[in-house]
Amino acid sequence: MIIGLDMMGGDFAPLEAVKGIQLYLSETDSPAILFLTGDEAQLNPLLQEYNIPADRVKVVHAPQVIDMHEHPTKALKEKQQSSIAIGFHLLATGKTEAFISAGNTGAMLVGAMYSIKAIEGVQRPTISTIIPKENGKTGLLLDVGLNADCKPEHLNQFAILGSLYAQHILGISNPRVALLNIGEEEGKGNILAQNTYPLLKENSQINFTGNIEGRDVLEDKADVMVCEGFTGNVILKMAESIYDITHRKEIRHEYFDRFNFELYGGTPVLGVAKPVIIGHGISHARAFCNMIKVAQKMIEADLMNKMKASFEA
Amino acid sequence: MIIGLDMMGGDFAPLEAVKGIQLYLSETDSPAILFLTGDEAQLNPLLQEYNIPADRVKVVHAPQVIDMHEHPTKALKEKQQSSIAIGFHLLATGKTEAFISAGNTGAMLVGAMYSIKAIEGVQRPTISTIIPKENGKTGLLLDVGLNADCKPEHLNQFAILGSLYAQHILGISNPRVALLNIGEEEGKGNILAQNTYPLLKENSQINFTGNIEGRDVLEDKADVMVCEGFTGNVILKMAESIYDITHRKEIRHEYFDRFNFELYGGTPVLGVAKPVIIGHGISHARAFCNMIKVAQKMIEADLMNKMKASFEA
């Protein structure tokens, strides 16, 4: 198994990426081979310093970097020698089986959509976040910002993608899928939610359990929570800010520790044909390590083929 | 000044309403006269037991109660002798200057819209919530559920209504008004947000400061935060659940204490022609007391006429 990793993406790259690799190799029984895209003059000394075994990694030199604030499409086009562009090239040509970056999110999304493409039948790929539940479990919320305006069928597809991810990657059997809404009964909500409910109810590929409300997001009412990317993104960022606030105010509790995104790695782009994982710009070693683990799990679980099969049905 | 209060609304009525009146009278220098709608057989002994001075309150007997789960329009029509219907009748006919209830939210909204009506020019009345900011200040978020689907002009009007409320009731001079969005720059967001931004930018009645994101909701980036009622309701209920979770987990901190809705009383319906305040079903004495205080402030600040003037402009 070969996983591609952009070493130049994120505020603390490449150092934290290297430390993440070290962590990954130390914690994993059968680790993947890692193809590392980035500036070899920076990477080689670091890999040596952190004793990364040369047989586990291969540096693929990328002389350019797409900065965090560059325009995604323009940057990808103009910087074909960037660590992200080369990373996608390796993935698209089958040299790697997954690609991970904590770099420019927009460029990662554009790359995922255009060099990897959506799974046949998927109208809109989506991104999700892990939500720490009050009782210690985790849920999946999607979409969290890739699709600000959605049609009911998009949400119905997110439900399928999220359900497969929850089942095969989060290890939740027969995951409960719910529609995020502003009322419990069928018929409640905005026009989108009203029209999405019947599709979810009729969808035999998921275990639809009905509507949930904002108060249920952090409770264990559902494993997969579906909404359009506007509301989802607001929830995601609000959850992140709660983690930050509790840290700043020194409110220490195991529950709030679980709001630390690093524990979950990054955000897989679901619905594209190969595993692509986008990390937070402020990723440290733990996040890099966990992103590699998630990519490995996605490959081992053959998730892409399971998703393809769902949309062929 | 005469304020109407539904004594039968809420899970702990009428007892907590009576205790709330006691609190209000003990904490207020020039208290209003309160017209109390409800079952006099239940109310009179309680008012006596809690030593409510007879010259401060007047019981207006209402033999019926609209339950929490009744259909709002149907219940209001069929139960004209209910404490909510009589309360609205008193307000509509000028016997009272405000009306408060912690009862059936839907019935309160229907009553506000149909017996009191919207301010001329207001397309959609709205409900808001107070958001406790990390730095100790408070912000106003609206709409939080009355308008699940909105047009840009609705959000523009919410901005005006919220701004006046923040200025005259929350005491924030020249309140910063922001659009809740999923990106900071103009042009970001879903179609609604993209089309609302220019209206807010051009609106000379407000101090528009741009977009804020989910991470800014609890930070002090804006005083008035505008969104459609779907996202707003999800945020409101998520904030309430955070309060509940911290209590259940015994995570005690002054910051989370401020998520207790009772501190803020209830939700005024903004954009209707007279002050109407809706309480949470689980309101206790503190919430009832604070709702009466907010109603008094709305009357003293002549908020309704200020809102009317804004929409005449």
Side-chain angles (χ1 to χ4, degrees), chain A:
Chain A
M1 184 191 304
I2 302 175
I3 294 172
L5 177 62
D6 169 17
M7 299 300 285
M8 311 307 283
D11 298 350
F12 310 114
L15 177 61
E16 291 294 322
V18 171
K19 286 160 76 176
I21 293 169
Q22 191 187 44
L23 208 53
Y24 166 73
L25 293 174
S26 75
E27 292 181 354
T28 312
D29 284 339
S30 312
I33 303 287
L34 304 175
F35 277 19
L36 313 178
T37 56
D39 176 15
E40 59 188 7
Q42 285 184 65
L43 295 182
N44 287 333
L46 273 175
L47 292 168
Q48 212 160 10
E49 187 185 337
Y50 283 85
N51 300 310
I52 309 296
D55 63 337
R56 306 311 308 167
V57 298
K58 181 186 166 185
V59 173
V60 181
H61 181 59
Q64 294 176 310
V65 174
I66 296 178
D67 291 329
M68 295 306 262
H69 296 289
E70 287 190 69
H71 187 279
T73 323
K74 196 162 165 271
L76 264 184
K77 195 177 282 180
E78 290 173 3
K79 292 188 170 172
Q80 303 220 357
Q81 295 303 306
S82 62
S83 55
I84 288 181
I86 291 179
F88 273 117
H89 181 73
L90 294 172
L91 182 61
T93 53
K95 305 273 195 321
T96 57
E97 292 158 81
F99 181 51
I100 300 164
S101 172
N104 186 308
T105 303
M108 283 299 289
L109 291 172
V110 172
M113 309 288 244
Y114 294 96
S115 40
I116 306 307
K117 297 197 169 58
I119 289 170
E120 177 99 25
V122 171
Q123 296 177 14
R124 298 273 198 98
T126 176
I127 53 176
S128 62
T129 193
I130 298 279
I131 295 284
K133 301 283 189 178
E134 185 182 357
N135 65 357
K137 294 186 183 174
T138 48
L140 192 74
L141 175 74
L142 72 173
D143 181 272
V144 293
L146 187 49
N147 303 285
D149 288 289
C150 289
K151 296 201 163 76
E153 182 54 27
H154 302 151
L155 268 62
N156 192 29
Q157 293 197 342
F158 301 164
I160 297 170
L161 294 167
S163 190
L164 288 167
Y165 190 85
Q167 193 179 334
H168 298 292
I169 307 303
L170 304 181
I172 301 166
S173 66
N174 198 26
R176 296 159 299 167
V177 177
L179 176 64
L180 183 63
N181 207 334
I182 60 168
E184 289 181 351
E185 304 87 5
E186 181 170 0
K188 292 274 182 177
N190 58 10
I191 293 169
L192 175 64
Q194 287 173 24
N195 292 330
T196 301
Y197 193 105
L199 296 186
L200 295 173
K201 201 174 158 186
E202 292 300 312
N203 187 337
S204 60
Q205 293 197 62
I206 57 167
N207 171 23
F208 180 56
T209 55
N211 290 326
I212 57 161
E213 295 188 278
R215 73 167 64 90
D216 307 317
V217 169
L218 301 175
E219 291 190 15
D220 191 30
K221 290 275 181 73
D223 303 303
V224 177
M225 302 173 281
V226 178
C227 63
E228 31 63 40
F230 189 92
T231 307
N233 185 268
V234 169
I235 292 174
L236 164 67
K237 289 184 178 159
M238 213 176 130
E240 288 182 355
S241 83
I242 288 167
Y243 178 75
D244 293 341
I245 289 172
T246 54
H247 266 241
R248 284 196 291 264
K249 291 192 180 288
E250 296 184 347
I251 305 171
R252 302 283 174 187
H253 191 277
E254 170 275 336
Y255 180 62
F256 289 118
D257 291 344
R258 292 176 50 233
F259 279 71
N260 180 358
F261 74 91
E262 300 233 356
L263 297 177
Y264 313 107
T267 299
V269 185
L270 302 180
V272 291
K274 295 184 179 190
V276 174
I277 297 178
I278 306 177
H280 207 298
I282 52 171
S283 288
H284 287 93
R286 171 52 60 198
F288 281 103
C289 166
N290 286 341
M291 284 194 280
I292 305 169
K293 286 182 178 177
V294 169
Q296 179 167 357
K297 217 166 175 180
M298 286 172 79
I299 298 165
E300 284 171 354
D302 199 19
L303 184 65
M304 295 300 118
N305 280 323
K306 292 192 168 78
M307 287 182 171
K308 281 172 196 161
S310 267
F311 284 88
E312 278 164 6

Side-chain angles (χ1 to χ4, degrees), chain B residues 80 83-96 99 115-116:
Chain B
Q80 302 219 359
S83 54
I84 288 182
I86 291 178
F88 273 117
H89 181 73
L90 294 172
L91 182 61
T93 53
K95 305 273 194 323
T96 58
F99 181 50
S115 41
I116 306 306

Side-chain angles (χ1 to χ4, degrees), chain B residues 4-301:
Chain B
L5 177 63
D6 169 19
M7 300 299 285
M8 312 308 282
D11 297 349
F12 310 113
L15 176 62
E16 291 295 322
V18 171
K19 287 159 77 176
I21 293 169
Q22 189 187 47
L23 208 54
Y24 166 72
L25 293 174
S26 74
E27 292 180 355
T28 311
D29 285 339
S30 313
I33 303 288
L34 304 174
F35 278 19
L36 313 178
T37 55
D39 175 15
E40 59 188 7
Q42 285 184 65
L43 295 182
N44 287 333
L46 274 175
L47 292 168
Q48 211 161 9
E49 187 185 337
Y50 284 85
N51 301 308
I52 309 297
D55 62 337
R56 305 310 309 167
V57 297
K58 182 186 166 185
V59 173
V60 181
H61 181 58
Q64 294 176 309
V65 174
I66 297 178
D67 291 329
M68 296 305 263
H69 295 290
E70 287 190 71
H71 187 279
T73 322
K74 197 163 164 270
L76 264 183
K77 193 176 283 179
E78 290 174 2
K79 291 188 171 173
Q80 302 219 359
Q81 295 303 307
S82 63
S83 54
I84 288 182
I86 291 178
F88 273 117
H89 181 73
L90 294 172
L91 182 61
T93 53
K95 305 273 194 323
T96 58
E97 292 159 80
F99 181 50
I100 300 163
S101 172
N104 185 308
T105 303
M108 283 299 290
L109 292 171
V110 171
M113 309 289 245
Y114 295 95
S115 41
I116 306 306
K117 297 199 169 58
I119 289 169
E120 177 100 24
V122 172
Q123 295 178 14
R124 298 274 198 98
T126 175
I127 53 175
S128 63
T129 193
I130 299 279
I131 296 285
K133 300 284 190 179
E134 185 182 357
N135 66 356
K137 294 186 184 175
T138 49
L140 192 73
L141 175 75
L142 72 173
D143 181 276
V144 293
L146 188 47
N147 303 284
D149 288 290
C150 288
K151 296 200 163 76
E153 181 54 27
H154 301 151
L155 268 62
N156 192 30
Q157 294 197 341
F158 300 164
I160 297 171
L161 294 167
S163 190
L164 289 167
Y165 190 84
Q167 193 179 334
H168 299 292
I169 306 302
L170 304 181
I172 303 167
S173 65
N174 197 26
R176 297 160 299 168
V177 177
L179 177 63
L180 183 64
N181 206 334
I182 59 169
E184 289 181 352
E185 304 87 4
E186 182 170 359
K188 292 274 182 177
N190 57 10
I191 293 169
L192 175 65
Q194 288 173 23
N195 292 329
T196 301
Y197 193 104
L199 297 185
L200 295 173
K201 200 175 158 186
E202 293 299 314
N203 186 338
S204 60
Q205 293 197 62
I206 57 167
N207 171 23
F208 180 56
T209 56
N211 290 326
I212 58 161
E213 295 188 278
R215 72 167 64 89
D216 307 317
V217 169
L218 301 175
E219 291 190 16
D220 191 30
K221 291 274 179 73
D223 303 302
V224 178
M225 301 173 281
V226 178
C227 63
E228 30 65 40
F230 189 92
T231 307
N233 184 269
V234 169
I235 293 174
L236 164 66
K237 289 185 178 158
M238 213 175 130
E240 288 182 356
S241 83
I242 288 166
Y243 178 76
D244 292 341
I245 289 171
T246 56
H247 266 241
R248 283 195 291 264
K249 291 191 179 289
E250 295 182 349
I251 305 171
R252 302 282 174 186
H253 192 277
E254 170 276 336
Y255 180 62
F256 289 117
D257 291 344
R258 292 175 51 233
F259 279 71
N260 181 358
F261 74 90
E262 300 233 355
L263 298 177
Y264 313 107
T267 300
V269 185
L270 301 180
V272 291
K274 297 185 177 188
V276 174
I277 297 178
I278 306 178
H280 207 299
I282 52 169
S283 289
H284 288 94
R286 172 52 60 198
F288 281 102
C289 166
N290 287 341
M291 284 195 281
I292 306 170
K293 286 182 177 176
V294 169
Q296 178 167 357
K297 218 167 175 179
M298 287 173 78
I299 298 166
E300 283 171 354

